Amino acid sequence: MLSRLSMMLLESGMVTRDEIDQIVSDYGPSEIELADQLVSMGVVPEDLITEFLSEIYSVNPVFLNEMEFDPALAESLPDETARRYLLVPFKEEKEYFHIGMSSPGDLYAIDDVKFAVGKEVIVYASAPSAVRRAQNDLYGKQDALVSVKDQLDDYEEELDDLEIVHTLGYEDEEEEDYEESDLEDEYANLSEGPIVAFVNAIIAKAVRTEVSDIHIEPYEKYLRIRYRRDGKCFVVRKLPKKVQPQIISRLKIMATMNIAEKRKTQDGRIKAMIDGRAIDFRVSAVPTINGEKIVMRILDRGSLELDLRELGFPEDALEVFMQGVSSPYGIVLVTGPTGSGKTTTLYSALSALNTDNVNIHTAEEPVEYNIEGLIQSQIDFSKGYDFAAALRAILRQDPNIIMVGEIRDLETASIAIKAALTGHLVFSTIHTNDAPSTVNRLIDIGIKPFLVASAVRTIMAQRLVRRICKHCKRPHEYTDDEYKAAGVDPAEMVGHTTYKGKGCSKCSGSGYRGRTGLYEVLAIDKNIKQSIIEKVTAGQLRVLGVRNGMKTLRMDAVEKLKAGVTTLEEVTRGTAEDDLEVVRVLEELKGRTAQQQTEEGHSA
């Protein structure tokens, strides 16, 4: 049965029955969800939703966007009550209290407000999105992520205010002497009050909205807070410069950092319980010319996906990768840029091998997730405990499987090679653009080609691309010119439906929600081993890999485009075009397959 708002919208001709049915199917029959989706999709103006709600509930409309809110209103009505019932106060008189509501017919909510303020309540209708934005203005942007456009505060910098910075040095190079009592006095107010509440709300909201990082960034005249979600940063809030010292110090106290030290980099960790989940935060503080910047990486072990199939691994590539992981000895390398999911892949592989029968040691920088059954050690470069030193120590601990966070230099690579050749299975990461280039990287570091060929079992390159939001996913047809510009053969896409996200409240208008992996797995067989010994180029290794069945990163990306998982824009953003030799080999292999199918058909 359609809601009154649905019927009114249908009568207006602004929406179709199919559009309403789709929203109801995805989000339920709630009037509020319907209004939210139609506004976020740009189908119905926000003010018109307000007018419709006013007519439905026979109350006056209020257009909250046109108002300025008295901060005293926040003291009259608690934040919790306003957000629970999706309402906001906008005017207070001696005997009356005026509120805007998205559900003006909720008598229980109105009674609750009457009891809280001790006055008669006059109710007005307002679109849900307008109420949330007004709540953020009155109580602080702590509850909802709105569009990037709405999140940006107006800020203009006059040319006259700019100054030329001649040096990045400090005026006073000597360390200040801080008395412990002085520090206690200076930061005593950080244990309670609005700063603590604000910091806690920023952290909790980041976890609830599934972002990966929180950036606290100091600028000359303001402090900016950004979240990173699905690989993209967006602004959440700009704050006055005067609150910067308190917020930065509060975070440093939580992360057990030295709040007196403001000129050196520091690292720390925060453990918190949020919605019943134990969440770890890896915190990094770096000095800048405008103060310390803090970045917090959110590490939710409960959301750590240890099934590689759920990470987007194709079955054929997964089979090849697991053959390498299941080897009794040798090196398995994962390569890719920072933030491409290498750590998750390594933990996934280790979890498959994590039994009581094997001894697994790791050397990580930093230890991101604590996994039961793994002996994990933290690298500390300041004390000389680097990857090479950790590997030497671990080898004296009788390990079966070793995971070293990264191979950076000849010493670490040499010890890893020796460990692999003496019966250990070694996992590690290395920074290269693709799987075949990893071989040349190891040789460039100083490892002999025959040792690389003997020790390395499998190399996997990976990237992350954004998934299309399932809530606003719509078919989208790309032109042949768009395919050609992206380096994709239009003929390859014939018969496949491609999609794009229209943008909705679930994805903050981006059209994307979540990420999936792209994988390129190179198995080191006898032919590739001989080629490594002969020092062939990365391009030749890539051609050999494709002949052996390897899919390049671009091939895997195109497969996910065909499957409607991602968009053409993400394919081009996340992967480079395959070179002409690889394309030629691929066409040759397709020709052979087609010929074999024809011959089989004739014989049948």
Side-chain angles (χ1 to χ4, degrees):
M1 182 176 177
L2 292 178
S3 66
R4 287 180 291 174
L5 179 60
S6 300
M7 295 171 64
M8 189 171 286
L9 288 165
L10 284 173
E11 290 173 4
S12 72
M14 299 192 70
V15 297
T16 65
R17 179 62 184 263
D18 288 343
E19 287 175 321
I20 289 178
D21 288 344
Q22 182 63 48
I23 292 172
V24 170
S25 173
D26 290 344
Y27 301 98
S30 166
E31 266 187 359
I32 290 174
E33 283 290 356
L34 176 64
D36 274 339
Q37 294 307 312
L38 292 174
V39 170
S40 67
M41 293 162 62
V43 176
V44 182
E46 187 176 78
D47 286 355
L48 194 56
I49 291 289
T50 296
E51 294 279 7
F52 284 156
L53 291 175
S54 168
E55 188 174 339
I56 289 170
Y57 292 102
S58 300
V59 297
N60 291 328
V62 60
F63 302 99
L64 298 168
N65 291 340
E66 303 170 1
M67 295 186 174
E68 292 186 5
F69 293 88
D70 183 351
L73 291 168
E75 298 177 6
S76 299
L77 184 68
D79 181 358
E80 181 183 353
T81 301
R83 296 191 190 277
R84 183 190 310 148
Y85 298 120
L86 198 53
L87 57 88
V88 65
F90 63 88
K91 184 179 178 182
E92 185 173 14
E93 297 175 328
K94 186 176 180 179
E95 297 180 359
Y96 298 101
F97 197 73
H98 301 256
I99 61 173
M101 289 185 69
S102 297
S103 300
D106 189 343
L107 300 179
Y108 181 81
I110 296 170
D111 286 342
D112 242 16
V113 175
K114 284 182 182 178
F115 179 79
V117 300
K119 296 181 180 182
E120 284 298 316
V121 174
I122 299 178
V123 179
Y124 300 77
S126 179
S129 51
V131 171
R132 290 193 185 94
R133 197 157 48 245
Q135 288 174 341
N136 290 335
D137 289 339
L138 180 60
Y139 296 106
K141 292 186 179 180
Q142 301 173 10
D143 183 70
L145 287 177
V146 294
S147 68
V148 175
K149 180 181 178 182
D150 291 333
Q151 289 161 354
L152 289 170
D153 293 339
D154 293 331
Y155 177 81
E156 294 182 0
E157 188 172 50
E158 297 295 336
L159 186 61
D160 294 340
D161 294 335
L162 296 176
E163 297 179 359
I164 298 174
V165 179
H166 295 287
T167 175
L168 300 184
Y170 296 96
E171 294 180 4
D172 181 9
E173 290 295 332
E174 294 183 2
E175 291 286 345
E176 293 187 48
D177 293 327
Y178 285 88
E179 295 291 338
E180 188 174 342
S181 58
D182 294 339
L183 290 174
E184 288 177 358
D185 291 340
E186 183 178 357
Y187 298 109
N189 62 329
L190 293 180
S191 61
E192 58 184 0
I195 291 294
V196 171
F198 179 79
V199 169
N200 290 347
I202 287 292
I203 290 174
K205 191 60 190 177
V207 172
R208 289 167 185 153
T209 50
E210 301 175 357
V211 305
S212 59
D213 302 87
I214 307 170
H215 293 246
I216 314 294
E217 303 169 325
Y219 290 90
E220 184 181 1
K221 295 188 175 181
Y222 60 87
L223 182 72
R224 184 172 74 174
I225 298 176
R226 292 195 295 170
Y227 289 164
R228 183 186 295 277
R229 182 168 60 192
D230 299 337
K232 297 286 187 179
C233 287
F234 59 93
V235 177
V236 176
R237 194 75 189 268
K238 286 184 179 179
L239 301 169
K241 186 72 172 179
K242 63 183 180 181
V243 303
Q244 176 178 315
Q246 294 172 298
I247 289 177
I248 297 297
S249 296
R250 173 60 186 167
L251 288 169
K252 290 172 72 175
I253 288 171
M254 293 173 70
T256 63
M257 294 179 181
N258 181 2
I259 59 175
E261 179 56 73
K262 300 177 181 179
R263 302 180 182 181
K264 295 180 182 177
T265 61
Q266 294 189 70
D267 293 299
R269 296 182 82 93
I270 297 173
K271 291 181 179 291
M273 288 294 295
I274 298 175
D275 297 337
R277 291 185 291 160
I279 309 293
D280 287 347
F281 300 84
R282 193 179 79 213
V283 186
S284 170
V286 174
T288 74
I289 59 173
N290 294 307
E292 291 173 286
K293 174 182 176 179
I294 288 185
V295 175
M296 305 170 66
R297 170 65 58 86
I298 299 174
L299 306 171
D300 182 3
R301 189 172 63 182
S303 66
L304 181 63
E305 182 56 70
L306 297 179
D307 184 348
L308 287 170
R309 291 177 180 82
E310 296 298 323
L311 298 174
F313 231 122
E315 284 293 337
D316 51 352
L318 178 60
E319 183 179 351
V320 175
F321 181 67
M322 292 309 296
Q323 286 175 358
V325 168
S326 303
S327 300
Y329 56 86
I331 296 180
V332 176
L333 291 171
V334 180
T335 181
T338 302
S340 62
K342 299 188 298 295
T343 300
T344 301
T345 299
L346 287 173
Y347 279 134
S348 300
L350 289 175
S351 70
L353 304 171
N354 186 14
T355 67
D356 292 338
N357 300 323
V358 294
N359 182 14
I360 303 176
H361 273 258
T362 75
E364 305 170 62
E365 200 283 307
V367 176
E368 295 197 352
Y369 297 96
N370 296 322
I371 307 295
E372 186 176 353
L374 274 58
I375 308 300
Q376 298 170 274
S377 59
Q378 171 80 43
I379 297 300
D380 190 342
F381 293 106
S382 65
K383 296 180 180 178
Y385 189 65
D386 57 12
F387 287 116
L391 263 176
R392 282 193 292 267
I394 288 172
L395 287 170
R396 294 193 289 270
Q397 295 284 311
D398 186 32
N400 300 105
I401 300 169
I402 301 168
M403 194 268 273
V404 55
E406 184 182 348
I407 292 178
R408 302 182 178 184
D409 50 41
L410 176 59
E411 186 179 14
T412 307
S414 298
I415 298 172
I417 292 285
K418 290 175 184 176
L421 294 175
T422 53
H424 302 88
L425 181 59
V426 180
F427 294 87
S428 189
T429 69
I430 191 168
H431 286 289
T432 58
N433 289 327
D434 53 33
S437 300
T438 303
V439 171
N440 297 84
R441 172 64 178 152
L442 289 171
I443 295 172
D444 290 341
I445 286 175
I447 303 298
K448 301 293 184 184
F450 74 90
L451 289 176
V452 175
S454 301
V456 178
R457 289 287 176 268
T458 305
I459 303 171
M460 186 185 72
Q462 68 180 77
R463 296 286 190 280
L464 290 177
V465 293
R466 292 181 292 173
R467 285 178 175 270
I468 303 170
C469 174
K470 65 180 181 180
H471 300 286
C472 59
K473 185 176 181 179
R474 301 288 185 273
H476 177 84
E477 188 173 343
Y478 293 98
T479 66
D480 288 355
D481 288 340
E482 286 176 314
Y483 283 128
K484 290 175 182 176
V488 177
D489 183 1
E492 191 176 351
M493 301 303 299
V494 173
H496 297 279
T497 303
T498 51
Y499 296 86
K500 266 191 175 183
K502 190 172 182 179
C504 64
S505 62
K506 297 292 184 181
C507 61
S508 297
S510 69
Y512 299 96
R513 185 173 174 86
R515 290 189 288 179
T516 189
L518 305 178
Y519 302 94
E520 175 180 284
V521 183
L522 177 66
I524 311 299
D525 62 11
K526 61 180 181 180
N527 293 327
I528 292 181
K529 283 184 179 182
Q530 185 59 39
S531 299
I532 293 172
I533 294 171
E534 294 172 359
K535 297 184 179 181
V536 303
T537 65
Q540 291 171 304
L541 282 177
R542 189 177 297 106
V543 169
L544 281 173
V546 171
R547 288 191 182 279
N548 289 348
M550 180 188 83
K551 286 183 178 178
T552 65
L553 289 167
R554 172 53 68 93
M555 293 177 195
D556 191 21
V558 172
E559 289 300 316
K560 288 180 170 62
L561 174 64
K562 292 177 180 178
V565 174
T566 192
T567 63
L568 183 63
E569 290 78 7
E570 283 295 289
V571 170
T572 56
R573 184 188 67 83
T575 62
E577 287 186 49
D578 290 325
D579 53 47
L580 294 177
E581 185 64 19
V582 169
V583 173
R584 187 188 63 78
V585 170
L586 194 60
E587 290 175 351
E588 176 188 323
L589 293 173
K590 287 180 180 177
R592 289 181 184 175
T593 302
Q595 183 178 354
Q596 289 174 357
Q597 291 174 345
T598 301
E599 292 174 353
E600 289 172 1
H602 288 158
S603 62

